[in-house]
Amino acid sequence: MMTSFSSQGLLLLAGLCFLLPRTQTTYHKELDNDPSIDPFQCRKVAFTISNVSISLYKEMAQKSRNGNILFSPIRVVAAILMLSLGVKGNVSQHILEALRFNKTGLPEAEIHKCFQYLLRAVNQPTGMSPLKSGGSMFIHQGLKLVDKSVKRIKDIYFSEVISTNFSDSSSAKRQINNYMMKKTNKEILNMVKELKKDTFLALMNYIIWNGRIVSDFECQFIQMEDFHLEYRKTIKVAMVTNVDMYHLFRVEELSSMVLVYGYTLVTYIIIPDKGKMHQVEERLTYPHFRQMIQRLNLRIVKVHTPVLSVSETSDVVSMMSLLGITPFFNKEANCTVAAEDTPQKSFKVISKAVLTLENMGTRPPMDLCLKNELWANAPLVQINRPFLIFIQDSTNYAPLFLGRVANPRK
């Protein structure tokens, strides 16, 4: 008899920063063979990012009780650390403590080196991966970046540095938006909505993943089904019925079913019982994910997955405030990014996450497919109500994506 779990989940990937495809393979091999990089120590950095990101997520969830939340933990934290390259002394220490890196026992230089190592996992050549990602720092023309900072921004965080006239805010906004539009092949438009006239720096990064739902058993079809939103509202969405191998188990402490899959990138889909989303968000900790690893149990599962199109823009400056980090581009911070006599005081940091999940190789419903004796009694997971998602790299445990999908079509 078929076991039914009225549930939902999804698949996604994420990434960071931009590096020219010509140099990526060689550069990654150099990192693998770099004796100054200790993968074990860098995993401690990855675990710390995960812990911080869940605390950050909880703060965001309090402010957005019912909408979608989607961001890349490693991308957001990398942006903050990249900005910290321009500050010194107590301010730099404050940033590391707010991000909990002081608990790793690693010196600041080694933490930055670990980000170089962790980011390599998501710097894939465009032609070989559905992942597109990049980062660019726009600096007010006439201001100077310390040469050492420029090199570290490019070499460690794989970001470009571009001169911009922020005195003309409309022109600067147009320049940034056009640049990001070209970088993403028009997949991201109008990334910047507004700029203050006293802006001296804008850091933009993006993550795009165009995923496909596949079945190793070639049992897959698509049909319109209900997706249950909050407040008893429903919408019709294209839902892909798919048969494949997944880890499926229940976590009673979170009142949730959990679906796990993936090899290079591991996807955790947490499907709270009806009405339990906020309770799960309050209870969730990173150790829960570590415990889930002990529960992995691969088996054939029938999954109804919504065709997904989610896009979220994160104001990293606001996220810094949620983490207890105050703006640090000022004389008290002994900032080395901008000239001391500049009238510009504001800065903007934006992280854009775009996720699509489409069907691949689907065909009309076929009784022979669903009634195949190999999976006739396989459990059924219906991804038809809000769920949480966490993605991490399976090698270095870098947290790539974290969020809540409340509506798969936003």
Side-chain angles (χ1 to χ4, degrees):
M1 181 176 181
M2 181 183 297
T3 303
S4 176
F5 299 107
S6 181
S7 316
Q8 47 197 119
L10 91 96
L11 167 67
L12 34 90
L13 297 166
L16 299 176
C17 303
F18 174 79
L19 192 62
L20 291 176
R22 181 179 63 84
T23 66
Q24 280 182 330
T25 301
T26 301
Y27 191 71
H28 289 170
K29 287 182 179 179
E30 290 175 355
L31 283 176
D32 286 335
N33 298 321
D34 187 342
S36 69
I37 295 178
D38 184 342
F40 176 78
Q41 297 293 348
C42 290
R43 289 191 186 103
K44 289 166 60 176
V45 172
F47 295 152
T48 301
I49 300 169
S50 296
N51 271 305
V52 169
S53 67
I54 290 178
S55 296
L56 177 59
Y57 173 83
K58 289 184 176 185
E59 294 289 341
M60 297 171 68
Q62 287 294 320
K63 294 180 176 296
S64 176
R65 300 290 286 176
N66 301 306
N68 289 341
I69 298 174
L70 191 65
F71 69 98
S72 171
I74 193 170
R75 171 59 102 177
V76 169
V77 176
I80 297 172
L81 279 185
M82 190 168 73
L83 291 174
S84 76
L85 292 173
V87 298
K88 296 180 179 179
N90 293 334
V91 176
S92 177
Q93 186 62 31
H94 163 67
I95 295 168
L96 294 178
E97 289 178 358
L99 295 174
R100 305 179 194 174
F101 287 126
N102 59 310
K103 296 182 179 180
T104 64
L106 300 175
E108 182 177 355
E110 191 166 346
I111 292 170
H112 286 292
K113 191 74 172 178
C114 280
F115 266 84
Q116 185 182 32
Y117 169 75
L118 296 174
L119 293 179
R120 77 184 175 100
V122 288
N123 279 306
Q124 299 293 336
T126 303
M128 298 174 60
S129 171
L131 173 68
K132 300 175 185 177
S133 62
S136 300
M137 178 181 282
F138 299 84
I139 293 285
H140 184 58
Q141 63 184 23
L143 300 185
K144 294 182 180 180
L145 278 171
V146 175
D147 290 342
K148 184 178 179 181
S149 293
V150 173
K151 179 174 175 56
R152 294 172 79 186
I153 288 170
K154 292 180 177 180
D155 292 350
I156 297 178
Y157 293 98
F158 313 115
S159 292
E160 301 154 304
V161 179
I162 302 165
S163 178
T164 304
N165 180 15
F166 283 107
S167 298
D168 185 344
S169 56
S170 296
S171 177
K173 182 174 72 172
R174 185 164 54 252
Q175 176 191 355
I176 294 172
N177 285 337
N178 287 342
Y179 187 87
M180 301 310 294
M181 179 181 69
K182 291 178 182 178
K183 290 276 289 185
T184 63
N185 293 320
K186 299 183 178 181
E187 291 193 65
I188 294 180
L189 305 175
N190 301 318
M191 190 164 179
V192 177
K193 302 299 182 183
E194 62 178 358
L195 283 173
K196 293 181 179 180
K197 292 184 178 180
D198 64 348
T199 298
F200 77 91
L201 179 150
L203 174 58
M204 304 287 117
N205 65 49
Y206 64 89
I207 301 165
I208 303 171
W209 188 68
N210 298 311
R212 297 293 181 91
I213 303 171
V214 297
S215 171
D216 290 339
F217 297 104
E218 297 184 350
C219 181
Q220 183 182 107
F221 59 85
I222 189 169
Q223 59 190 1
M224 299 302 292
E225 295 182 17
D226 286 337
F227 189 94
H228 302 274
L229 307 176
E230 297 290 339
Y231 306 114
R232 299 183 180 180
K233 295 181 180 179
T234 62
I235 57 172
K236 289 289 185 181
V237 300
M239 196 79 72
V240 178
T241 295
N242 187 57
V243 176
D244 214 328
M245 300 295 293
Y246 299 89
H247 300 279
L248 178 66
F249 50 88
R250 181 172 178 81
V251 178
E252 289 295 345
E253 185 179 354
L254 296 178
S255 302
S256 302
M257 291 301 301
V258 178
L259 194 69
V260 182
Y261 56 95
Y263 299 96
T264 303
L265 294 167
V266 180
T267 302
Y268 296 81
I269 299 148
I270 300 176
I271 308 149
D273 295 343
K274 292 180 180 179
K276 298 291 186 178
M277 172 62 79
H278 299 318
Q279 178 180 302
V280 172
E281 290 175 330
E282 291 172 0
R283 292 180 177 178
L284 184 65
T285 63
Y286 181 59
H288 281 116
F289 292 102
R290 303 291 299 275
Q291 294 164 13
M292 290 175 195
I293 295 176
Q294 310 302 320
R295 300 281 306 278
L296 297 183
N297 178 26
L298 195 63
R299 51 178 162 161
I300 297 176
V301 182
K302 299 174 186 175
V303 182
H304 290 204
T305 305
V307 172
L308 187 72
S309 179
V310 178
S311 176
E312 293 294 320
T313 302
S314 298
D315 179 354
V316 178
V317 177
S318 296
M319 298 170 94
M320 288 164 59
S321 297
L322 293 176
L323 291 170
I325 302 173
T326 55
F328 43 77
F329 286 112
N330 50 46
K331 291 183 180 180
E332 288 73 19
N334 194 12
C335 176
T336 60
V337 170
E340 290 186 0
D341 59 350
T342 175
Q344 279 74 15
K345 298 179 180 179
S346 299
F347 64 100
K348 182 177 285 289
V349 187
I350 293 177
S351 181
K352 182 82 172 184
V354 179
L355 170 70
T356 63
L357 185 63
E358 303 290 345
N359 60 293
M360 180 177 180
T362 57
R363 47 184 179 247
M366 293 185 295
D367 289 342
L368 291 178
C369 169
L370 290 182
K371 293 182 179 180
N372 187 304
E373 61 181 11
L374 291 177
W375 50 77
N377 296 318
L380 171 66
V381 177
Q382 294 177 290
I383 306 171
N384 60 5
R385 64 175 183 271
F387 57 93
L388 302 177
I389 184 161
F390 177 70
I391 309 294
Q392 67 177 174
D393 182 86
S394 62
T395 301
N396 55 39
Y397 301 100
L400 306 181
F401 249 98
L402 177 62
R404 174 212 295 154
V405 178
N407 186 331
R409 304 308 299 172
K410 279 190 176 181

